[in-house]
Amino acid sequence: QVQLVESGGGLVQAGGSLRLSCAASGSIFSINTMGWYRQAPGKQRELVAFINSDGSTKYADSVKGRSTISRDNAKSTVTLQMNSLNAEDTAVYYCKVNLQILFDARDYWGQGTQVIVSS
């Protein structure tokens, strides 16, 4: 059974930084795309950043230049470093990992970790 454990969320002041981590465990054959999404109250869930198996990345315009996503395949983890946080970064952040298990490839979601930026 695949599980995603997220950590690093919390309350931070505007201008501060945080590091979100997500670790996958279970029966994993291979890991494809790993990424982070976020959802603020009253808004749709949106992509923050993702990283492919080849190391290529993509960032939302709102976090580009102040965020870095990385992965450690040996530990099956993905990390999102965010700097210069502002009030618009307040949201529940969800880890999403696309995994290859047996003959299937599917998305797995973490339960979400709350990030609140005080302005």
Side-chain angles (χ1 to χ4, degrees):
Q1 183 175 346
V2 176
Q3 296 183 16
L4 301 182
V5 180
E6 302 154 320
S7 62
L11 176 64
V12 297
Q13 290 187 325
S17 301
L18 60 77
R19 178 179 295 180
L20 301 177
S21 296
C22 175
S25 63
S27 300
I28 303 172
F29 185 78
S30 64
I31 304 174
N32 299 315
T33 302
M34 310 179 75
W36 286 92
Y37 290 71
R38 67 185 181 186
Q39 186 168 22
K43 299 180 65 177
Q44 285 192 324
R45 187 171 300 183
E46 64 177 359
L47 171 71
V48 179
F50 68 77
I51 181 168
N52 294 312
S53 59
D54 64 359
S56 61
T57 59
K58 183 177 181 179
Y59 298 89
D61 290 339
S62 58
V63 304
K64 190 178 301 181
R66 61 187 181 92
S67 299
T68 302
I69 189 168
S70 59
R71 62 190 287 168
D72 186 333
N73 291 328
K75 298 181 179 180
S76 299
T77 60
V78 58
T79 299
L80 178 67
Q81 175 72 38
M82 298 186 66
N83 304 316
S84 301
L85 292 168
N86 57 67
E88 294 185 349
D89 294 318
T90 295
V92 177
Y93 285 69
Y94 298 89
C95 174
K96 190 190 80 172
V97 179
N98 185 268
L99 304 176
Q100 185 75 35
I101 303 176
L102 295 177
F103 302 105
D104 299 324
R106 59 180 295 182
D107 294 332
Y108 291 85
W109 291 86
Q111 63 180 337
T113 181
Q114 178 73 62
V115 173
I116 300 177
V117 182
S118 175
S119 61

